Amino acid sequence: MSDSATDCGECTEPRTALSEAEVEALVRGICFKTGPPRGIGVEVEWLVHELRRPQLPVTPERLDAAYAALRTVPLRSALTTEPGGQLELSSPPATSLMECIGTVSADLDAVRTALARLGLGLVGIGHDPWHPPRRFLRQPRYDAMEVALDRAGPAGRRMMCTSASVQVCLDAGYEEPGPLGHGRRWWLAHQLGAVLLAAFANSPLACGRPTGWRSTRQQTWMEIGAGRAGGPALNGDPRAAWARHVMDAPVMCVRREGGPWDVPDGLTFREWVRSKAPRAPTREDLDYHITTLFPPVRPRGFLELRMIDAQPGDDGWIVPLAVTTALFEDPEAAETAYRLVKPLAERSTGRPAPHNPLWTAAARDGLADPELHETAVGCFTAALEALPRTGATEQVTDAVAAYLERYVRRGRTPADDLLDRLRETSPRAHGKDPSS
């Protein structure tokens, strides 16, 4: 959500207007850059909490002080703030899995040290289990986003202010077909994405109560709606499908220098190009529009996989990064994953992710779903076999093996740990009167 597109007035100055053909050509060119898969990246989001009592909300003043202190810490990753005060680190592109892990691990150590001096820490949970949504950032982008998303209900504010994820970024792949071809990787990301969602579900609570979903974070994204948080249909050429999706998605805002930004209701980018009202859109407007779309797999020249909940523990984020990288970058593992997830495609009923029965089951049931459980065991096993071929260290393979045994083989996810902990500490679980 905290994309690097600037909010400055300079970007809203009138420039060359775009035609429909120019928009489609630009989207095709900038969103799928093909070539040998080499680059790996990760974006890790965290909830910021009180070290001693995580259930207490952190005041805006303390968050301001914390982020001011963090801006003085030398980091290789980009540090940004989400609307609710969540912290995000975005790694620079790495040429290997271990390079990516090394960079982000060092940066997280530095961030945690700086925060600890202020009595604050980071927690990896996909959805804040304690607090209702509360805006921390007051910027034109998020003011406009709040207005636009409020039209569909309260899910938008929850997404903005209470969610956190692990986003894995991988090259689009070769132009040619095959296990590492961009068409195969695009399809695989959407089918395997449901397995990753289920296997790493870690957000079953809101305001201290179970929501009925293993991934409340993903359920929130689904409630926002297909235009803003959905993907395109998978039939046909990925570039053409994404270009149509971008053109037919609703415009979140029309930026301007003075005063609040316009937030049109139901205006698609295609309609904006045709009508040229309230002004003609430019290349800068197109770039900005794309940053306001949040599908589970977003092509940004590379593929950004956005379906994984934030993970528990200081290093929990490494396991989804390692598993996903192995299943996409190792040709043998990619072929195995393709074969394993292919039967799942029927459950999507031809509807785009995440608004289809397969993704709904993954978010609601996690690995309690028998078919997702069986597929996850096969995919994790293939990833574990492939990791040494990617150069992963024994420490990383051991972490993946431990996750496979603790959660995947048992049909569990970190969400089940949170639910078990709630049952253990709940007054009713101990036979106590909760009003006493």
Side-chain angles (χ1 to χ4, degrees), residues 6 66 79 117 121 130 135 142 159 168 186-187 203 214 236 275 290-292 307 324 331 344 347 367 381 384 397 424:
T6 178
L79 186 146
R117 296 191 188 103
W130 305 296
R135 279 272 302 281
Y142 299 121
M159 176 274 290
V168 180
W186 176 247
W187 184 91
S203 52
R214 294 299 200 283
S275 69
I290 292 173
T291 73
T292 70
M307 71 290 297
T324 306
L344 295 176
R347 292 180 61 181
L367 295 186
T381 302
L384 192 57
T397 58
E424 291 169 0

Side-chain angles (χ1 to χ4, degrees), residues 143-178:
D143 292 343
M145 185 180 292
E146 186 174 280
V147 172
L149 295 180
D150 277 353
R151 291 172 179 151
R157 295 195 184 202
R158 296 200 305 271
M159 176 274 290
M160 292 171 65
C161 301
T162 62
S163 67
S165 67
V166 175
Q167 298 176 18
V168 180
C169 302
L170 303 166
D171 282 337
Y174 287 102
E175 190 68 28
E176 298 78 14

Side-chain angles (χ1 to χ4, degrees), residues 113-147:
T113 298
L115 288 177
R117 296 191 188 103
L118 301 173
L120 299 175
L122 303 177
V123 63
I125 302 178
H127 184 279
D128 191 322
W130 305 296
H131 310 124
R134 182 190 60 172
R135 279 272 302 281
F136 169 67
L137 291 183
R138 295 291 170 182
Q139 297 174 359
R141 174 181 174 88
Y142 299 121
D143 292 343
M145 185 180 292
E146 186 174 280
V147 172

